[in-house]
Amino acid sequence: MRVLVVEDEEPLADAIARGLRREGMAVDVALTGDDGHEKAAVTRYDVVLLDRDLPGMSGDELCREIVASGELTRVLMLTASSSVSDRVDGLSLGADDYLAKPFAFPELVARVRALGRRATPAAPPLLTAGDVELDPAKRTVRRASGPVELTRKEFGVLEVLLSAAGSVVSSEELLERVWDENADPFTTTVRVTVMTLRKKLGEPGIIETVVGSGYRVPEPGTPRA
């Protein structure tokens, strides 16, 4: 899941980003409304955590821009006010959810995950390929021989590939969906992660390299590239 945190209180923004990254999400941070607008214009985020009171472009205005874009991006408004009128105002702008500060971090994570599920086409509770089984909710992977322990990035790559339902996913798309803006697009990060993921999953291999295009997990009966 790719998340953008737009929050002008830098310590809070950094704390939210660190916590969400520990939950396996790819997180970018913007400290002003203008910076958030620029990032949202060039990257398709699943969820934007948006403070209403921002320097430059206001959170309200940025929310309107995101909604008007027609993307599936979901907006979670963050605000210091917990009044009913403030919540109504935020939701009337097109925000999908609303959370008053201070908030409990587990609640924030739960809300972000719920919005993330709404930002992408519905997926089955379990993603499978052969005897490999990935549970997005429990964040577990199993093969016939038992549990498979994966890093957050390995899990993210496998989740994206299985969700693609046999379609080819480019290295650039994997980098965008699983990592964040700090990832160097010219590194071998994706290739190395796919290599270690293949080793952990074992044989028979389920991840196919499509030369010049990317990777896929073929559906049954799909000819190999």
Side-chain angles (χ1 to χ4, degrees):
M1 188 188 303
R2 189 77 182 264
V3 178
L4 174 62
V5 178
V6 190
E7 166 61 63
D8 64 322
E9 296 180 35
E10 189 169 358
L12 176 59
D14 289 342
I16 292 173
R18 288 196 304 272
L20 294 180
R21 286 171 184 144
R22 285 196 296 269
E23 295 294 322
M25 303 178 198
V27 185
D28 297 336
V29 173
L31 300 177
T32 68
D34 294 326
D35 190 23
H37 181 262
E38 182 178 337
K39 291 179 188 294
V42 298
T43 301
R44 211 285 283 176
Y45 292 98
D46 297 296
V47 180
V48 174
L49 274 65
L50 181 58
D51 185 24
R52 289 194 72 180
D53 186 17
L54 293 168
M57 177 182 282
S58 70
D60 289 358
E61 187 178 353
L62 179 51
C63 181
R64 290 192 193 96
E65 290 282 342
I66 293 171
V67 173
S69 72
E71 295 285 355
L72 289 175
T73 301
R74 301 302 179 179
V75 177
L76 173 57
M77 279 281 199
L78 301 176
T79 180
S81 174
S82 59
S83 70
V84 172
S85 61
D86 202 49
R87 292 200 300 273
V88 170
D89 287 345
L91 294 172
S92 68
L93 294 168
D96 299 279
D97 201 356
Y98 195 99
L99 191 58
K101 304 175 188 176
F103 48 79
F105 191 74
E107 181 181 4
L108 176 68
V109 172
R111 289 174 181 255
V112 170
R113 289 203 185 283
L115 290 177
R117 288 192 292 271
R118 292 167 55 189
T120 55
L126 295 178
L127 298 171
T128 61
D131 60 353
V132 175
E133 190 175 88
L134 182 147
D135 187 325
K138 295 181 180 177
R139 300 196 65 77
T140 58
V141 175
R142 295 186 61 85
R143 194 152 198 177
S145 56
V148 181
E149 297 296 328
L150 301 179
T151 67
R152 289 192 294 269
K153 298 306 183 188
E154 291 163 354
F155 184 94
V157 167
L158 182 60
E159 184 176 15
V160 170
L161 291 175
L162 291 176
S163 297
S167 297
V168 177
V169 182
S170 68
S171 294
E172 292 77 13
E173 184 176 351
L174 285 172
L175 199 64
E176 178 176 311
R177 305 302 302 159
V178 181
W179 280 263
D180 56 33
E181 64 184 355
N182 297 313
D184 183 349
F186 300 104
T187 67
T188 59
T189 298
V190 172
R191 182 172 61 81
V192 170
T193 301
V194 170
M195 180 179 66
T196 58
L197 176 58
R198 281 171 166 154
K199 288 181 179 178
K200 290 184 179 182
L201 291 174
E203 297 295 338
I206 65 166
I207 301 174
E208 175 184 326
T209 298
V210 181
V211 179
S213 298
Y215 305 94
R216 69 175 176 178
V217 175
E219 294 190 310
T222 302
R224 298 191 66 86

